[in-house]
Amino acid sequence: TIKIGGDWSLAATPRLNGTLNVRREEGDLFATVNTTLDAGELALGITELVLAARWSDDALDANARFRSTRAGTADASATVAAGNAPGRMATDVPMTVKVVADLASLRPLQPWLGTLAVLDGRARIDVEGRGTLAQPDLAGTMTGDALRFDLPQFGVHLRDGRLRARLVDRALVLDEFSFLGGAGRFTAKGTLASAANAADRASAKANVTWEATDFTVVNRPDLRLVADGKGTLALADGK
């Protein structure tokens, strides 16, 4: 039911100058029909959604703001320098980007999973990027607390999840990823992926160590699976 309004004033002579503003005027976003949630839980509860961009001789300065009663808040900003070709955004010019999001509950995201799974918990994302559009360098943190993942039809009930992750040198470093299952816990840490450069996917490397102690993976009337053990998951040279 969301309605969007805006105003803009742009001119290319030949370099681009002007402004663009887009904002929510009224209404909300809803998930499709889901049998596990009532109608009130299908809405994001959006109270503010704003995007503002300004071009000055092809240089871009943009900001975005999101507020909702159920999903939380998010703020983003970006700058892109002017390129050599007038009226065009180059991918090899300096840029900056920053995204800060506080998600008070992950439950509004659950209908988009496309399953009967129940997702919940709190999350925060604080990421900055520099470099160029073609070769961005990202740094920042991602945290999650009181994470929960339930898949009742398969007997999966994971709770008290924690996530502590960092973006460093094109790698996602897991300082902590854990879930409680039954009376036990699963934990993992390590580097999920890194590459020498953004274009060289074959050079990506990963190394994650994990440990399970009395960890209940599945608990159904006809099947109970409890895991104990530890191991390593690794990726090198694309294998």
Side-chain angles (χ1 to χ4, degrees), residues 100-141:
V100 177
D102 277 300
L103 307 179
S105 173
L106 299 179
R107 193 170 176 83
L109 303 179
Q110 185 256 314
W112 278 273
L113 294 179
T115 70
L116 295 179
V118 176
L119 178 69
D120 206 349
R122 306 183 304 274
R124 177 177 171 82
I125 301 171
D126 190 341
V127 175
E128 292 188 19
R130 296 183 181 277
T132 66
L133 293 176
Q135 293 288 341
D137 289 316
L138 301 178
T141 60

mmCIF file of all heavy atoms in Angstrom, residues 100-141:
data_model
loop_
_atom_site.group_PDB
_atom_site.id
_atom_site.type_symbol
_atom_site.label_atom_id
_atom_site.label_comp_id
_atom_site.label_asym_id
_atom_site.label_seq_id
_atom_site.Cartn_x
_atom_site.Cartn_y
_atom_site.Cartn_z
ATOM 1 N N VAL A 100 24.596 1.843 8.117
ATOM 2 C CA VAL A 100 24.402 1.486 9.525
ATOM 3 C C VAL A 100 22.941 1.071 9.686
ATOM 4 O O VAL A 100 22.032 1.846 9.365
ATOM 5 C CB VAL A 100 24.715 2.665 10.471
ATOM 6 C CG1 VAL A 100 24.430 2.268 11.916
ATOM 7 C CG2 VAL A 100 26.167 3.088 10.312
ATOM 8 N N ALA A 101 22.720 -0.155 10.139
ATOM 9 C CA ALA A 101 21.363 -0.664 10.305
ATOM 10 C C ALA A 101 21.230 -1.325 11.665
ATOM 11 O O ALA A 101 22.099 -2.109 12.069
ATOM 12 C CB ALA A 101 21.024 -1.661 9.204
ATOM 13 N N ASP A 102 20.173 -0.987 12.382
ATOM 14 C CA ASP A 102 19.819 -1.626 13.650
ATOM 15 C C ASP A 102 18.485 -2.329 13.452
ATOM 16 O O ASP A 102 17.447 -1.667 13.303
ATOM 17 C CB ASP A 102 19.703 -0.584 14.777
ATOM 18 C CG ASP A 102 21.049 -0.250 15.375
ATOM 19 O OD1 ASP A 102 21.712 -1.175 15.892
ATOM 20 O OD2 ASP A 102 21.449 0.914 15.302
ATOM 21 N N LEU A 103 18.522 -3.649 13.425
ATOM 22 C CA LEU A 103 17.326 -4.446 13.219
ATOM 23 C C LEU A 103 16.875 -4.993 14.560
ATOM 24 O O LEU A 103 17.460 -5.935 15.087
ATOM 25 C CB LEU A 103 17.610 -5.580 12.234
ATOM 26 C CG LEU A 103 18.227 -5.137 10.891
ATOM 27 C CD1 LEU A 103 18.497 -6.333 10.007
ATOM 28 C CD2 LEU A 103 17.327 -4.138 10.190
ATOM 29 N N ALA A 104 15.859 -4.364 15.122
ATOM 30 C CA ALA A 104 15.382 -4.764 16.448
ATOM 31 C C ALA A 104 14.816 -6.170 16.437
ATOM 32 O O ALA A 104 14.809 -6.852 17.464
ATOM 33 C CB ALA A 104 14.326 -3.776 16.941
ATOM 34 N N SER A 105 14.309 -6.621 15.295
ATOM 35 C CA SER A 105 13.776 -7.975 15.170
ATOM 36 C C SER A 105 13.939 -8.439 13.734
ATOM 37 O O SER A 105 13.675 -7.693 12.790
ATOM 38 C CB SER A 105 12.300 -8.014 15.572
ATOM 39 O OG SER A 105 11.742 -9.289 15.295
ATOM 40 N N LEU A 106 14.398 -9.693 13.572
ATOM 41 C CA LEU A 106 14.504 -10.280 12.249
ATOM 42 C C LEU A 106 13.202 -10.946 11.809
ATOM 43 O O LEU A 106 13.094 -11.416 10.683
ATOM 44 C CB LEU A 106 15.629 -11.325 12.230
ATOM 45 C CG LEU A 106 17.034 -10.809 12.550
ATOM 46 C CD1 LEU A 106 18.028 -11.957 12.527
ATOM 47 C CD2 LEU A 106 17.455 -9.724 11.574
ATOM 48 N N ARG A 107 12.229 -10.966 12.688
ATOM 49 C CA ARG A 107 10.988 -11.672 12.389
ATOM 50 C C ARG A 107 10.267 -11.135 11.146
ATOM 51 O O ARG A 107 9.698 -11.908 10.380
ATOM 52 C CB ARG A 107 10.057 -11.628 13.600
ATOM 53 C CG ARG A 107 8.881 -12.599 13.507
ATOM 54 C CD ARG A 107 8.143 -12.680 14.838
ATOM 55 N NE ARG A 107 6.967 -13.523 14.753
ATOM 56 C CZ ARG A 107 6.969 -14.848 14.856
ATOM 57 N NH1 ARG A 107 8.120 -15.482 15.041
ATOM 58 N NH2 ARG A 107 5.837 -15.537 14.784
ATOM 59 N N PRO A 108 10.268 -9.823 10.883
ATOM 60 C CA PRO A 108 9.612 -9.352 9.659
ATOM 61 C C PRO A 108 10.225 -9.908 8.378
ATOM 62 O O PRO A 108 9.587 -9.876 7.327
ATOM 63 C CB PRO A 108 9.782 -7.834 9.735
ATOM 64 C CG PRO A 108 9.886 -7.542 11.187
ATOM 65 C CD PRO A 108 10.667 -8.696 11.744
ATOM 66 N N LEU A 109 11.484 -10.400 8.439
ATOM 67 C CA LEU A 109 12.117 -10.969 7.252
ATOM 68 C C LEU A 109 11.676 -12.395 6.993
ATOM 69 O O LEU A 109 11.892 -12.926 5.903
ATOM 70 C CB LEU A 109 13.640 -10.931 7.410
ATOM 71 C CG LEU A 109 14.281 -9.573 7.672
ATOM 72 C CD1 LEU A 109 15.782 -9.724 7.823
ATOM 73 C CD2 LEU A 109 13.967 -8.594 6.560
ATOM 74 N N GLN A 110 11.080 -13.039 7.988
ATOM 75 C CA GLN A 110 10.756 -14.457 7.916
ATOM 76 C C GLN A 110 9.865 -14.823 6.728
ATOM 77 O O GLN A 110 10.115 -15.827 6.053
ATOM 78 C CB GLN A 110 10.135 -14.910 9.234
ATOM 79 C CG GLN A 110 9.858 -16.411 9.309
ATOM 80 C CD GLN A 110 8.397 -16.704 9.125
ATOM 81 O OE1 GLN A 110 7.552 -16.060 9.720
ATOM 82 N NE2 GLN A 110 8.092 -17.683 8.289
ATOM 83 N N PRO A 111 8.827 -14.039 6.398
ATOM 84 C CA PRO A 111 7.981 -14.443 5.264
ATOM 85 C C PRO A 111 8.727 -14.520 3.937
ATOM 86 O O PRO A 111 8.314 -15.245 3.041
ATOM 87 C CB PRO A 111 6.905 -13.345 5.226
ATOM 88 C CG PRO A 111 6.860 -12.806 6.617
ATOM 89 C CD PRO A 111 8.282 -12.855 7.089
ATOM 90 N N TRP A 112 9.827 -13.791 3.802
ATOM 91 C CA TRP A 112 10.568 -13.807 2.545
ATOM 92 C C TRP A 112 11.480 -15.025 2.412
ATOM 93 O O TRP A 112 12.124 -15.211 1.388
ATOM 94 C CB TRP A 112 11.377 -12.524 2.404
ATOM 95 C CG TRP A 112 10.558 -11.386 1.894
ATOM 96 C CD1 TRP A 112 10.315 -11.067 0.581
ATOM 97 C CD2 TRP A 112 9.831 -10.421 2.657
ATOM 98 N NE1 TRP A 112 9.506 -9.965 0.503
ATOM 99 C CE2 TRP A 112 9.196 -9.543 1.749
ATOM 100 C CE3 TRP A 112 9.665 -10.211 4.027
ATOM 101 C CZ2 TRP A 112 8.405 -8.475 2.167
ATOM 102 C CZ3 TRP A 112 8.870 -9.156 4.443
ATOM 103 C CH2 TRP A 112 8.261 -8.297 3.519
ATOM 104 N N LEU A 113 11.567 -15.861 3.460
ATOM 105 C CA LEU A 113 12.378 -17.069 3.371
ATOM 106 C C LEU A 113 11.754 -18.092 2.433
ATOM 107 O O LEU A 113 12.432 -18.979 1.933
ATOM 108 C CB LEU A 113 12.568 -17.692 4.752
ATOM 109 C CG LEU A 113 13.371 -16.877 5.767
ATOM 110 C CD1 LEU A 113 13.439 -17.611 7.088
ATOM 111 C CD2 LEU A 113 14.769 -16.593 5.253
ATOM 112 N N GLY A 114 10.449 -18.002 2.230
ATOM 113 C CA GLY A 114 9.784 -18.922 1.330
ATOM 114 C C GLY A 114 9.546 -20.293 1.926
ATOM 115 O O GLY A 114 9.272 -21.249 1.206
ATOM 116 N N THR A 115 9.685 -20.446 3.247
ATOM 117 C CA THR A 115 9.441 -21.713 3.920
ATOM 118 C C THR A 115 8.609 -21.440 5.156
ATOM 119 O O THR A 115 8.233 -20.310 5.447
ATOM 120 C CB THR A 115 10.762 -22.388 4.340
ATOM 121 O OG1 THR A 115 11.348 -21.625 5.418
ATOM 122 C CG2 THR A 115 11.755 -22.432 3.188
ATOM 123 N N LEU A 116 8.333 -22.506 5.913
ATOM 124 C CA LEU A 116 7.615 -22.355 7.173
ATOM 125 C C LEU A 116 8.575 -22.104 8.334
ATOM 126 O O LEU A 116 8.200 -22.211 9.494
ATOM 127 C CB LEU A 116 6.771 -23.606 7.450
ATOM 128 C CG LEU A 116 5.639 -23.852 6.443
ATOM 129 C CD1 LEU A 116 4.896 -25.135 6.807
ATOM 130 C CD2 LEU A 116 4.678 -22.678 6.398
ATOM 131 N N ALA A 117 9.824 -21.780 8.028
ATOM 132 C CA ALA A 117 10.801 -21.506 9.073
ATOM 133 C C ALA A 117 10.446 -20.228 9.821
ATOM 134 O O ALA A 117 9.824 -19.314 9.274
ATOM 135 C CB ALA A 117 12.197 -21.383 8.476
ATOM 136 N N VAL A 118 10.845 -20.168 11.075
ATOM 137 C CA VAL A 118 10.656 -18.980 11.898
ATOM 138 C C VAL A 118 12.029 -18.414 12.238
ATOM 139 O O VAL A 118 12.866 -19.103 12.823
ATOM 140 C CB VAL A 118 9.874 -19.299 13.187
ATOM 141 C CG1 VAL A 118 9.777 -18.052 14.061
ATOM 142 C CG2 VAL A 118 8.475 -19.811 12.848
ATOM 143 N N LEU A 119 12.262 -17.184 11.859
ATOM 144 C CA LEU A 119 13.537 -16.507 12.093
ATOM 145 C C LEU A 119 13.301 -15.351 13.047
ATOM 146 O O LEU A 119 12.336 -14.599 12.896
ATOM 147 C CB LEU A 119 14.106 -15.996 10.768
ATOM 148 C CG LEU A 119 15.415 -15.210 10.808
ATOM 149 C CD1 LEU A 119 16.577 -16.127 11.180
ATOM 150 C CD2 LEU A 119 15.682 -14.561 9.459
ATOM 151 N N ASP A 120 14.187 -15.198 14.030
ATOM 152 C CA ASP A 120 14.040 -14.089 14.962
ATOM 153 C C ASP A 120 15.405 -13.728 15.526
ATOM 154 O O ASP A 120 16.399 -14.431 15.335
ATOM 155 C CB ASP A 120 13.069 -14.459 16.100
ATOM 156 C CG ASP A 120 12.394 -13.211 16.688
ATOM 157 O OD1 ASP A 120 12.830 -12.095 16.359
ATOM 158 O OD2 ASP A 120 11.456 -13.362 17.484
ATOM 159 N N GLY A 121 15.449 -12.604 16.246
ATOM 160 C CA GLY A 121 16.689 -12.145 16.836
ATOM 161 C C GLY A 121 16.935 -10.677 16.520
ATOM 162 O O GLY A 121 16.138 -10.019 15.852
ATOM 163 N N ARG A 122 18.052 -10.163 17.010
ATOM 164 C CA ARG A 122 18.454 -8.775 16.785
ATOM 165 C C ARG A 122 19.752 -8.743 15.985
ATOM 166 O O ARG A 122 20.606 -9.620 16.151
ATOM 167 C CB ARG A 122 18.664 -8.045 18.118
ATOM 168 C CG ARG A 122 17.475 -8.104 19.060
ATOM 169 C CD ARG A 122 17.745 -7.298 20.321
ATOM 170 N NE ARG A 122 18.958 -7.706 21.014
ATOM 171 C CZ ARG A 122 18.997 -8.701 21.907
ATOM 172 N NH1 ARG A 122 17.901 -9.395 22.188
ATOM 173 N NH2 ARG A 122 20.121 -9.008 22.520
ATOM 174 N N ALA A 123 19.910 -7.715 15.170
ATOM 175 C CA ALA A 123 21.128 -7.612 14.360
ATOM 176 C C ALA A 123 21.515 -6.154 14.185
ATOM 177 O O ALA A 123 20.663 -5.261 14.204
ATOM 178 C CB ALA A 123 20.936 -8.270 12.999
ATOM 179 N N ARG A 124 22.804 -5.938 14.003
ATOM 180 C CA ARG A 124 23.330 -4.599 13.716
ATOM 181 C C ARG A 124 24.404 -4.724 12.646
ATOM 182 O O ARG A 124 25.263 -5.613 12.716
ATOM 183 C CB ARG A 124 23.905 -3.933 14.963
ATOM 184 C CG ARG A 124 24.536 -2.556 14.679
ATOM 185 C CD ARG A 124 25.049 -1.872 15.928
ATOM 186 N NE ARG A 124 25.824 -0.683 15.624
ATOM 187 C CZ ARG A 124 25.309 0.517 15.349
ATOM 188 N NH1 ARG A 124 24.004 0.674 15.364
ATOM 189 N NH2 ARG A 124 26.082 1.548 15.083
ATOM 190 N N ILE A 125 24.354 -3.821 11.682
ATOM 191 C CA ILE A 125 25.338 -3.778 10.603
ATOM 192 C C ILE A 125 25.938 -2.383 10.557
ATOM 193 O O ILE A 125 25.219 -1.386 10.560
ATOM 194 C CB ILE A 125 24.681 -4.112 9.251
ATOM 195 C CG1 ILE A 125 24.055 -5.503 9.284
ATOM 196 C CG2 ILE A 125 25.695 -4.007 8.114
ATOM 197 C CD1 ILE A 125 23.214 -5.812 8.063
ATOM 198 N N ASP A 126 27.255 -2.320 10.550
ATOM 199 C CA ASP A 126 27.968 -1.043 10.477
ATOM 200 C C ASP A 126 29.133 -1.237 9.500
ATOM 201 O O ASP A 126 30.174 -1.782 9.866
ATOM 202 C CB ASP A 126 28.470 -0.634 11.855
ATOM 203 C CG ASP A 126 28.996 0.803 11.879
ATOM 204 O OD1 ASP A 126 29.299 1.340 10.793
ATOM 205 O OD2 ASP A 126 29.105 1.379 12.971
ATOM 206 N N VAL A 127 28.940 -0.832 8.264
ATOM 207 C CA VAL A 127 29.904 -1.116 7.201
ATOM 208 C C VAL A 127 30.271 0.163 6.464
ATOM 209 O O VAL A 127 29.403 0.994 6.182
ATOM 210 C CB VAL A 127 29.335 -2.152 6.207
ATOM 211 C CG1 VAL A 127 30.292 -2.360 5.045
ATOM 212 C CG2 VAL A 127 29.071 -3.479 6.904
ATOM 213 N N GLU A 128 31.555 0.325 6.169
ATOM 214 C CA GLU A 128 32.042 1.435 5.360
ATOM 215 C C GLU A 128 32.800 0.888 4.165
ATOM 216 O O GLU A 128 33.450 -0.160 4.254
ATOM 217 C CB GLU A 128 32.963 2.345 6.177
ATOM 218 C CG GLU A 128 32.260 3.114 7.281
ATOM 219 C CD GLU A 128 33.184 4.143 7.923
ATOM 220 O OE1 GLU A 128 34.200 4.484 7.285
ATOM 221 O OE2 GLU A 128 32.872 4.594 9.030
ATOM 222 N N GLY A 129 32.715 1.576 3.050
ATOM 223 C CA GLY A 129 33.434 1.164 1.855
ATOM 224 C C GLY A 129 34.189 2.325 1.241
ATOM 225 O O GLY A 129 33.712 3.454 1.235
ATOM 226 N N ARG A 130 35.358 2.014 0.727
ATOM 227 C CA ARG A 130 36.169 3.001 0.015
ATOM 228 C C ARG A 130 36.771 2.335 -1.214
ATOM 229 O O ARG A 130 36.566 1.154 -1.442
ATOM 230 C CB ARG A 130 37.278 3.566 0.919
ATOM 231 C CG ARG A 130 36.736 4.339 2.117
ATOM 232 C CD ARG A 130 37.851 4.964 2.954
ATOM 233 N NE ARG A 130 37.313 5.679 4.103
ATOM 234 C CZ ARG A 130 36.859 6.918 4.072
ATOM 235 N NH1 ARG A 130 36.904 7.592 2.923
ATOM 236 N NH2 ARG A 130 36.369 7.503 5.146
ATOM 237 N N GLY A 131 37.514 3.092 -1.985
ATOM 238 C CA GLY A 131 38.094 2.551 -3.203
ATOM 239 C C GLY A 131 37.350 3.068 -4.414
ATOM 240 O O GLY A 131 37.057 4.260 -4.513
ATOM 241 N N THR A 132 37.000 2.155 -5.326
ATOM 242 C CA THR A 132 36.245 2.493 -6.522
ATOM 243 C C THR A 132 35.063 1.536 -6.636
ATOM 244 O O THR A 132 34.991 0.515 -5.955
ATOM 245 C CB THR A 132 37.116 2.379 -7.783
ATOM 246 O OG1 THR A 132 37.479 1.001 -7.986
ATOM 247 C CG2 THR A 132 38.379 3.214 -7.655
ATOM 248 N N LEU A 133 34.123 1.877 -7.541
ATOM 249 C CA LEU A 133 32.990 0.987 -7.761
ATOM 250 C C LEU A 133 33.450 -0.368 -8.291
ATOM 251 O O LEU A 133 32.850 -1.400 -7.987
ATOM 252 C CB LEU A 133 32.013 1.630 -8.745
ATOM 253 C CG LEU A 133 31.280 2.888 -8.250
ATOM 254 C CD1 LEU A 133 30.433 3.464 -9.379
ATOM 255 C CD2 LEU A 133 30.414 2.565 -7.041
ATOM 256 N N ALA A 134 34.504 -0.385 -9.093
ATOM 257 C CA ALA A 134 35.008 -1.641 -9.641
ATOM 258 C C ALA A 134 35.803 -2.435 -8.622
ATOM 259 O O ALA A 134 35.790 -3.671 -8.647
ATOM 260 C CB ALA A 134 35.869 -1.359 -10.875
ATOM 261 N N GLN A 135 36.490 -1.746 -7.711
ATOM 262 C CA GLN A 135 37.316 -2.419 -6.709
ATOM 263 C C GLN A 135 37.025 -1.821 -5.334
ATOM 264 O O GLN A 135 37.839 -1.074 -4.778
ATOM 265 C CB GLN A 135 38.804 -2.253 -7.055
ATOM 266 C CG GLN A 135 39.247 -2.961 -8.310
ATOM 267 C CD GLN A 135 39.309 -4.485 -8.119
ATOM 268 O OE1 GLN A 135 39.365 -4.957 -7.001
ATOM 269 N NE2 GLN A 135 39.290 -5.216 -9.209
ATOM 270 N N PRO A 136 35.888 -2.135 -4.748
ATOM 271 C CA PRO A 136 35.567 -1.576 -3.426
ATOM 272 C C PRO A 136 36.312 -2.289 -2.311
ATOM 273 O O PRO A 136 36.563 -3.495 -2.379
ATOM 274 C CB PRO A 136 34.060 -1.819 -3.312
ATOM 275 C CG PRO A 136 33.827 -3.053 -4.134
ATOM 276 C CD PRO A 136 34.807 -2.978 -5.273
ATOM 277 N N ASP A 137 36.693 -1.538 -1.302
ATOM 278 C CA ASP A 137 37.287 -2.094 -0.084
ATOM 279 C C ASP A 137 36.302 -1.844 1.055
ATOM 280 O O ASP A 137 36.047 -0.694 1.427
ATOM 281 C CB ASP A 137 38.635 -1.426 0.230
ATOM 282 C CG ASP A 137 39.721 -1.845 -0.747
ATOM 283 O OD1 ASP A 137 39.808 -3.044 -1.043
ATOM 284 O OD2 ASP A 137 40.474 -0.969 -1.206
ATOM 285 N N LEU A 138 35.753 -2.923 1.608
ATOM 286 C CA LEU A 138 34.745 -2.823 2.650
ATOM 287 C C LEU A 138 35.334 -3.170 4.004
ATOM 288 O O LEU A 138 36.170 -4.069 4.129
ATOM 289 C CB LEU A 138 33.568 -3.761 2.345
ATOM 290 C CG LEU A 138 32.829 -3.522 1.028
ATOM 291 C CD1 LEU A 138 31.724 -4.551 0.851
ATOM 292 C CD2 LEU A 138 32.257 -2.116 0.971
ATOM 293 N N ALA A 139 34.898 -2.458 5.016
ATOM 294 C CA ALA A 139 35.311 -2.736 6.389
ATOM 295 C C ALA A 139 34.131 -2.436 7.305
ATOM 296 O O ALA A 139 33.340 -1.532 7.042
ATOM 297 C CB ALA A 139 36.520 -1.886 6.788
ATOM 298 N N GLY A 140 34.026 -3.217 8.367
ATOM 299 C CA GLY A 140 32.930 -2.968 9.293
ATOM 300 C C GLY A 140 32.594 -4.202 10.103
ATOM 301 O O GLY A 140 33.333 -5.197 10.096
ATOM 302 N N THR A 141 31.500 -4.135 10.800
ATOM 303 C CA THR A 141 31.112 -5.217 11.696
ATOM 304 C C THR A 141 29.648 -5.598 11.474
ATOM 305 O O THR A 141 28.820 -4.780 11.059
ATOM 306 C CB THR A 141 31.293 -4.809 13.168
ATOM 307 O OG1 THR A 141 30.469 -3.652 13.445
ATOM 308 C CG2 THR A 141 32.746 -4.478 13.464
#
